[in-house]
Amino acid sequence: MKMVDEEERREIQSALEAWEKGPVAKTVSRFPERREAFATPSGITVKRLYTPLDVDSLKYNRDLGFPGAYPFTRGVQPTMYRGRLWTMRQYSGFATARETNERFRYLLEQGQTGLSVAFDLPTQIGYDSDHPMARGEVGKVGVAIDSLADMEVLFDSIPLDRVSTSMTINAPAAVLLAMYIAVAEKQGVPMEKLRGTIQNDILKEYVARGTYIFPPQESMRLITDIFKFCSEKMPLWNTISISGYHIREAGSTAVQEVAFTLADGIAYVQAAIDAGLDVDKFASRLSFFFGSHSNFFEEVAKFRAARRLWARIMRERFGAREDRSCRMRFHTQTAGCTLTAQQPENNVVRVTLQALQAVLGGTQSLHTNSRDEALSLPTEESVRIALRTQQIIAFETGVTDTVDPLAGSYFIESLTDEIERRAMEYIKKIDEMGGAPRAIEKGFIQREITQSAYEHQRLVDSGERVVVGVNKFVIEEGHTFDYMRVDPEAERRQIERVRSVRASRDQSAVDDALAALRAAAEGTDNLMPFILDAVRAYATLGEICDVLRGVFGEYRAPDVL
Amino acid sequence: MSPSRKIRVLIAKPGLDGHDRGAKVVARALRDAGMEVIYTGLRQTPEMIVRAAIDESVDVIGLSILSGAHMALFPRVMELLRKEGADDILVIGGGIIPEDDIPELKKHGIAEIFGPGTPLDEIVDYIRKHVKV
Amino acid sequence: MRVEDLVRGVLEGKRRPLARLITMIENEDPQASEALRLLYRHTGRAHIIGITGPPGSGKSTLVTRMTAEYRRRGRTVGIVAVDPSSPFSGGALLGDRIRMQEHSLDEGVFVRSMGTRGHLGGIARATSDVVRAIDASGKDVIIVETVGAGQSEVEIIDIAHTVVVVDVPGSGDDIQAIKAGIMEIADIFVVNKMDLPGADRKVSEINAMLDLDQKMGEWRPPVLLTNGRTGEGVPELVDKIDEHMVFLRESGLLEEKGLQRSRDELHQIMEYRLTRELLQHLRGRPEYERAIKMIAQRHDDPYSVAQRLIAEFLVELSRSGGGDEDGG
């Protein structure tokens, strides 16, 4: 940071050497350090001490700058949390639309400021609830949505012009977005007023999350169709949430999380540019999603590094002219994979620290996990504690009172630099392979992630990496938790519901809309208006996806292990 | 046991969830313990799993599921194995499975459930101990 | 299960007995030889196709597409997917089934994954017996998929009637991808992933190499383009494979190869048996140990000793009528 001139540099250098040879050597000879070498989980060496010498190459204006301005290292808004706190957004949804609607209204009453919809797996994979593959899965990990009728119930009495809604939906994102637009229409809210996010990030589904339907090329078309549609009609809508969270959950390191997420981001931007969009027209609506894992400083630095690297990529690689196109806004979720089934109360502490990291890293919204999620779906009480955790950080700790409070820490800045550098190396490698979609097809990204996951597990098994309550400080325990259970009758009820929707709608309108959609899919028209028409006619999610399956085919995973 | 005898294990993901981190990590550990591991990929129906287990003559089936559909899918796998006369295959499970469900699953013939945080060697040892060779 | 029951089950085309027999073959179970002996006469009907090529060339996807095409044509298919075992642990990760899900419930398809396991006779011996078992179970076509790395690709020629070598466009070091050795075994070349840039160039490169081949017989390996993802070019590939079988039959090569193969196999079995029985006969005999000592102390030489021991063994064998014990 050029905090020191040449002379002072030399003074520090010699003082540092004297300290190493003197007091340190003496202490270490009598009391050896706990380990020979220290490193972050990404493998970045952690030194005993960081000094101005470690940030010598940083140029303040170039590398850190000011909040709200390029390269956004210190945050995406000028005043950050002094102005407005992050959005507290708990991912939830289970069973049927009716029950989820009740949970949403409860959360809004509790002070939550945004909704986040979890869909069940059949919905995420484009199957109606009565599809044979849906058996046992309906309403399990989220809410089942088969048609507009379910969506109407889901947002009943929730004014869509006043909440922002995030939907974790990818392969059929266009369909769920269309349903959201249609519900808003019925409430009298025009689509240009809608605020929210669809995840819409198919590339990470292929490598880490698995809810893909169509092959990459066709999926990319759907995504760019959404970009185009929203750039014209939904200026407040986040068209994609490019997600590192699931890559991290699948076992990647922090460096890999940044690298693979940004490589995916590059692929989306390139696809949109190739489809004829002006980068400054859509880039500001891209958003990101990261995990917040266990290693405190590495995680804080990761958020800052990702922000800076993305800004540079947008400007230098894609020639974005406007600052807001270079601004990486992201949602954070505390890392589900760090939750332990053993001594689950400890998870509250883990989540607290991880949430604090995300706030110190400048997140725009945050989901805090519930303590019991390694065991089952969270209970209402657990969800409340998780939300309260955010509120305590926001209102009691004072960490929100100044922007980017850890900046200037020799260690944090040095780590930020190193993470950016290592992530860039990966991105170069992926570029050489022909970009993220090719690297995925070759299985490169999947293999890297699985290798890291395996190494992590080996380190935990050997005790080298401590997980409290799992491989150290273990106790005999009987579980005393109440489990949240999805009513087994919910599946049957939902099946009846979708069948009655099919029986009561105007079938010829559905047939016409689906035929028009098929024709459009075979051609090159933007599919969003056709999907919207089909949704309005109460065509089901499964029917719409089947039309697209017929034209696009289905994705088959490579045999990567 | 002849020197070239290998324990063969089918690692399968029933249901629709795409979280295969655990399945893949266990697969690697079993390979590194000298077993032959057949991985089926995502979204396997019980019918597909049982067919693969029979064609591949596996000694063990490892089912991994995180979606919560285990009570519907695990017993179905066992039922089909019995129907095919292949219930000599050792079936174990893993993923997010509430403790309360375990007795019921065992009643259906699932030999053991390995929850989150199980050391890999524990699974390896369990298989070595329980596969009849 | 008694060997006779197992054999009957295999001949009736049942999956479980077939799967069990394959396990016995892989485990070098002595009963497997007995079963194979009983099954032998019922083999030789299937068209055996070898598919090999570098990792990442899309072999499994192509095999899946070919299987679909064969099924459309009403033929049943056996697939043996061979992957390398870990040289360290001896274990293996076998992932080919991931690709083959659409056939996973088809009664007319049998898929088996194999690790190379470091079999003494190389992959060829165990695989050849596995293929024979599937052949006996009545599959019309058997596709053996091996990774083109190291020895296995060359051994595939000992098993398959038709060898298909798969490559992809622009795999950089082209010559490295299709090595000289693998060139010679191909009956058909496939440039898969034809939608990638450089596919046509790849075809001309292979053709140019074929032009230089002095030893080529009447069959010039065709070079085909396929797209495993869409299935484009797969019907043509299956046509060519059929054509190759017709060629083998009409040119007399099929018979010639069959004779050669039977001769090789008989030699191999005799060599193995003789060696094994000779050693069994000698093991632990004091005069054998004495002879070894004499060699080591340079009182005798291994050449004369070997000659003498074999001669004595043969005399004894002819006297006893010997070697009716089974196995191997």
Side-chain angles (χ1 to χ4, degrees):
Chain A
M1 248 174 281
K2 293 288 171 211
M3 289 169 149
V4 291
D5 58 24
E6 201 43 45
E7 195 190 326
E8 198 182 352
R9 215 190 98 86
R10 273 196 303 272
E11 282 173 22
I12 295 173
Q13 181 72 45
S14 65
L16 178 65
E17 278 162 23
W19 175 71
E20 293 272 1
K21 282 185 196 135
V24 172
K26 206 165 131 197
T27 303
V28 170
S29 71
R30 288 170 53 207
F31 309 104
E33 291 180 327
R34 285 180 290 113
R35 259 181 259 159
E36 290 267 305
F38 291 76
T40 69
S42 287
I44 298 170
T45 303
V46 177
K47 301 200 290 185
R48 182 173 297 119
L49 189 77
Y50 287 77
T51 70
L53 302 178
D54 294 293
V55 293
D56 210 30
S57 62
L58 270 188
K59 284 207 163 77
Y60 184 84
N61 281 342
R62 181 195 66 190
D63 297 322
L64 297 182
F66 289 87
Y70 188 87
F72 300 104
T73 315
R74 304 204 59 182
V76 294
Q77 289 122 12
T79 59
M80 287 301 290
Y81 309 131
R82 287 168 66 103
R84 203 170 64 85
L85 293 166
W86 63 92
T87 305
M88 301 177 191
R89 198 193 290 281
Q90 300 295 91
Y91 181 66
S92 61
F94 55 94
T96 60
R98 173 72 53 214
E99 288 152 285
T100 307
N101 176 264
E102 279 163 26
R103 175 70 70 102
F104 280 170
R105 291 201 273 173
Y106 169 80
L107 286 167
L108 291 173
E109 277 161 28
Q110 291 297 309
Q112 178 164 315
T113 48
L115 296 177
S116 178
V117 190
F119 296 99
D120 72 356
L121 287 161
T123 305
Q124 294 187 49
I125 303 176
Y127 294 126
D128 285 340
S129 297
D130 57 349
H131 190 284
M133 287 296 285
R135 191 179 145 153
E137 305 274 12
V138 177
K140 278 281 157 46
V141 303
V143 59
I145 299 291
D146 291 314
S147 72
L148 181 57
D150 295 324
M151 206 70 158
E152 287 162 4
V153 173
L154 183 64
F155 292 105
D156 181 36
S157 307
I158 297 172
L160 296 188
D161 52 346
R162 292 214 298 266
V163 294
S164 83
T165 303
S166 166
M167 292 190 267
T168 300
I169 194 74
N170 293 279
V175 185
L176 275 299
L177 175 60
M179 288 182 185
Y180 193 75
I181 294 169
V183 172
E185 277 172 0
K186 298 208 164 183
Q187 289 188 3
V189 179
M191 61 176 113
E192 61 266 22
K193 281 199 172 165
L194 294 177
R195 286 183 304 122
T197 309
I198 39 174
Q199 198 160 73
N200 200 23
D201 170 12
I202 199 66
L203 291 175
K204 65 95 175 54
E205 295 297 328
Y206 298 133
V207 300
R209 193 166 171 274
T211 68
Y212 42 72
I213 307 176
F214 314 112
Q217 212 175 327
E218 289 74 11
S219 298
M220 292 302 262
R221 172 188 172 186
L222 275 170
I223 290 167
T224 50
D225 280 357
I226 292 171
F227 284 6
K228 214 180 276 183
F229 180 87
C230 293
S231 75
E232 290 159 12
K233 300 195 158 72
M234 302 181 77
L236 304 177
W237 195 264
N238 297 315
T239 52
I240 193 166
S241 171
I242 306 165
S243 305
Y245 178 80
H246 315 92
I247 291 172
R248 190 65 182 278
E249 286 291 295
S252 84
T253 63
V255 166
Q256 289 170 335
E257 179 187 6
V258 173
F260 299 155
T261 309
L262 270 55
D264 288 350
I266 289 168
Y268 294 124
V269 172
Q270 191 61 55
I273 290 173
D274 292 347
L277 271 78
D278 175 0
V279 66
D280 285 305
K281 278 264 159 58
F282 66 88
S284 68
R285 297 322 302 172
L286 306 177
S287 64
F288 288 80
F289 174 19
F290 293 109
S292 188
H293 216 269
S294 309
N295 190 282
F296 197 91
F297 293 110
E298 185 176 54
E299 292 301 300
V300 175
K302 174 188 80 181
F303 296 120
R304 302 174 81 247
R307 219 161 26 226
R308 182 162 75 203
L309 183 52
W310 183 247
R312 288 176 168 161
I313 286 168
M314 290 307 290
R315 174 133 309 157
E316 290 162 20
R317 179 175 183 144
F318 293 114
R321 296 170 304 277
E322 292 182 37
D323 259 16
R324 61 192 195 114
S325 304
C326 305
R327 195 176 59 164
M328 172 189 268
R329 296 166 305 128
F330 61 86
H331 171 69
T332 306
Q333 180 171 341
T334 58
C337 64
T338 64
L339 299 176
T340 62
Q342 298 78 4
Q343 304 175 39
E345 302 292 358
N346 296 344
N347 292 327
V348 175
V349 182
R350 290 190 178 94
V351 168
T352 306
L353 290 166
Q354 292 164 3
L356 182 59
Q357 290 155 204
V359 169
L360 292 172
T363 194
Q364 276 57 64
S365 58
L366 180 60
H367 167 106
T368 32
N369 287 326
S370 300
R371 55 188 177 172
D372 44 2
E373 282 179 71
L375 305 163
S376 68
L377 283 172
T379 60
E380 204 157 271
E381 191 195 356
S382 300
V383 172
R384 192 176 61 237
I385 294 173
L387 179 59
R388 294 287 181 258
T389 304
Q390 296 198 39
Q391 290 160 339
I392 289 167
I393 292 171
F395 298 104
E396 294 185 7
T397 64
V399 297
T400 51
D401 296 350
T402 186
V403 179
D404 192 23
L406 292 189
S409 146
Y410 309 127
F411 180 40
I412 279 286
E413 295 301 353
S414 158
L415 261 181
T416 303
D417 236 25
E418 187 59 19
I419 291 170
E420 183 187 13
R421 196 182 63 72
R422 290 186 183 210
M424 199 55 224
E425 264 171 35
Y426 259 122
I427 290 174
K428 276 207 190 100
K429 207 185 248 179
I430 291 167
D431 280 341
E432 278 159 21
M433 289 180 196
R438 281 287 290 149
I440 291 166
E441 196 189 328
K442 282 172 186 262
F444 169 75
I445 293 178
Q446 298 92 311
R447 263 192 300 274
E448 290 286 305
I449 296 171
T450 305
Q451 186 58 36
S452 296
Y454 190 44
E455 279 163 19
H456 169 80
Q457 191 58 46
R458 283 295 182 197
L459 289 171
V460 171
D461 285 359
S462 70
E464 231 167 298
R465 194 168 285 171
V466 172
V467 182
V468 171
V470 172
N471 62 2
K472 208 168 186 172
F473 316 113
V474 180
I475 53 168
E476 279 297 317
E477 55 187 326
H479 290 296
T480 50
F481 262 97
D482 286 335
Y483 293 109
M484 159 76 202
R485 275 197 189 279
V486 174
D487 175 6
E489 281 298 289
E491 180 160 329
R492 194 188 49 73
R493 283 201 306 273
Q494 184 62 21
I495 289 173
E496 278 169 19
R497 203 173 141 72
V498 63
R499 289 187 173 150
S500 87
V501 167
R502 281 201 212 102
S504 61
R505 65 191 180 183
D506 174 358
Q507 189 58 40
S508 70
V510 172
D511 293 343
D512 291 350
L514 291 178
L517 174 62
R518 183 175 296 111
E522 283 163 353
T524 56
D525 283 350
N526 193 318
L527 296 179
M528 269 308 289
F530 295 93
I531 293 172
L532 197 46
D533 284 345
V535 161
R536 286 191 189 111
Y538 292 88
T540 65
L541 173 75
E543 289 164 342
I544 293 170
C545 289
D546 277 347
V547 166
L548 298 178
R549 280 187 186 99
V551 180
F552 294 163
E554 288 184 71
Y555 177 72
R556 292 253 169 274
D559 41 352
V560 177
L561 281 161
Chain B
M1 177 164 136
S2 109
S4 51
R5 169 84 166 91
K6 299 265 178 236
I7 296 177
R8 283 170 70 89
V9 186
L10 186 80
I11 298 287
K13 280 207 55 75
L16 299 180
D17 84 84
H19 301 289
D20 55 1
R21 172 184 180 160
K24 283 180 169 176
V25 165
V26 168
R28 281 192 180 211
L30 299 182
R31 181 215 33 206
D32 289 349
M35 301 179 198
E36 284 183 349
V37 183
I38 295 119
Y39 182 57
T40 60
L42 306 178
R43 302 186 199 171
Q44 299 292 300
T45 63
E47 288 78 7
M48 291 157 97
I49 292 167
V50 169
R51 163 64 79 83
I54 287 173
D55 281 10
E56 300 286 358
S57 284
V58 296
D59 307 291
V60 185
I61 301 174
L63 301 171
S64 164
I65 193 166
L66 284 85
S67 72
H70 50 274
M71 293 310 269
L73 298 175
F74 283 16
R76 175 81 183 137
V77 169
M78 300 312 297
E79 184 191 325
L80 288 169
L81 281 175
R82 264 189 297 275
K83 216 174 91 189
E84 296 283 340
D87 46 349
D88 55 323
I89 298 174
L90 179 74
V91 183
I92 56 180
I96 297 195
I97 293 170
E99 208 154 279
D100 300 3
D101 291 345
I102 294 174
E104 178 71 15
L105 291 174
K106 287 193 171 171
K107 220 186 290 165
H108 280 97
I110 307 283
E112 194 54 84
I113 298 287
F114 297 96
T118 308
L120 296 171
D121 286 343
E122 196 178 312
I123 302 173
V124 170
D125 291 345
Y126 183 88
I127 290 176
R128 285 205 180 121
K129 207 169 123 202
H130 289 85
V131 169
K132 301 153 213 133
V133 285
Chain C
M1 191 184 273
R2 283 169 47 231
V3 174
E4 291 75 17
D5 297 332
L6 192 70
V7 165
R8 190 176 320 110
V10 171
L11 288 175
E12 284 167 4
K14 289 187 180 148
R15 320 183 75 87
R16 281 211 89 191
L18 174 60
R20 282 205 175 151
L21 173 56
I22 293 174
T23 299
M24 287 160 61
I25 293 168
E26 290 203 282
N27 291 345
E28 301 181 341
D29 185 325
Q31 287 204 317
S33 317
E34 175 60 13
L36 286 167
R37 193 172 68 79
L38 296 169
L39 287 173
Y40 187 79
R41 270 162 241 253
H42 303 276
T43 63
R45 290 176 302 195
H47 184 177
I48 299 159
I49 301 157
I51 303 265
T52 190
S57 53
K59 292 181 295 293
S60 312
T61 312
L62 197 61
V63 168
T64 308
R65 291 285 179 183
M66 288 167 63
T67 304
E69 183 60 27
Y70 281 120
R71 295 299 292 138
R72 255 195 295 284
R73 299 181 185 196
R75 286 189 257 174
T76 54
V77 182
I79 299 169
V80 182
V82 186
D83 281 313
S85 297
S86 156
F88 307 106
S89 70
L93 270 184
L94 310 171
D96 293 279
R97 289 194 88 94
I98 299 175
R99 284 287 189 184
M100 300 175 180
Q101 294 196 16
E102 57 190 281
H103 307 298
S104 56
L105 291 177
D106 181 347
E107 281 299 326
V109 178
F110 180 88
V111 184
R112 181 71 176 215
S113 316
M114 279 178 77
T116 48
R117 288 196 192 184
H119 283 282
L120 282 175
I123 158 220
R125 203 178 121 213
T127 313
S128 138
D129 284 346
V130 168
V131 166
R132 195 163 276 165
I134 299 175
D135 187 350
S137 83
K139 293 284 176 282
D140 299 321
V141 174
I142 300 169
I143 305 175
V144 182
E145 182 200 328
T146 62
V147 175
Q151 291 287 51
S152 58
E153 68 211 14
V154 184
E155 290 170 349
I156 192 83
I157 198 173
D158 300 333
I159 300 169
H161 298 116
T162 305
V163 175
V164 179
V165 172
V166 185
D167 204 356
V168 280
S171 29
D173 312 310
D174 292 321
I175 305 302
Q176 196 195 346
I178 292 200
K179 283 168 290 192
I182 200 171
M183 281 296 285
E184 286 162 19
I185 65 167
D187 297 305
I188 295 170
F189 283 99
V190 165
V191 176
N192 193 26
K193 305 191 183 176
M194 59 186 278
D195 51 326
L196 293 182
D200 289 331
R201 210 189 65 213
K202 188 72 161 203
V203 172
S204 359
E205 279 168 7
I206 297 172
N207 270 317
M209 284 171 83
L210 289 171
D211 290 340
L212 294 174
D213 189 351
Q214 304 287 321
K215 289 176 288 181
M216 195 187 300
E218 289 166 70
W219 175 267
R220 180 188 163 102
V223 188
L224 305 179
L225 287 164
T226 58
N227 183 341
R229 229 169 351 141
T230 59
E232 204 180 339
V234 172
E236 291 80 1
L237 170 60
V238 167
D239 285 344
K240 271 288 172 226
I241 293 171
D242 285 351
E243 218 174 279
H244 184 248
M245 183 42 106
V246 172
F247 163 77
L248 286 178
R249 215 175 269 131
E250 287 177 354
S251 64
L253 268 175
L254 188 67
E255 203 187 329
E256 202 178 296
K257 275 189 175 179
L259 279 173
Q260 187 57 43
R261 187 153 179 234
S262 302
R263 188 188 311 275
D264 289 348
E265 193 171 18
L266 183 61
H267 282 182
Q268 249 182 33
I269 294 172
M270 290 193 301
E271 197 179 318
Y272 178 79
R273 288 253 171 129
L274 270 178
T275 313
R276 199 190 58 175
E277 291 187 13
L278 173 60
L279 292 177
Q280 253 171 20
H281 166 76
L282 293 171
R283 192 178 300 135
R285 294 197 174 196
E287 63 265 34
Y288 184 49
E289 297 305 321
R290 258 200 310 278
I292 291 169
K293 211 184 233 170
M294 297 287 276
I295 296 168
Q297 293 167 349
R298 300 298 186 275
H299 296 308
D300 210 336
D301 68 278
Y303 313 101
S304 323
V305 173
Q307 203 175 353
R308 196 179 69 235
L309 290 177
I310 291 170
E312 282 169 12
F313 173 64
L314 290 177
V315 170
E316 189 144 331
L317 201 64
S318 66
R319 234 184 264 135
S320 71
D324 55 0
E325 175 246 0
D326 233 312

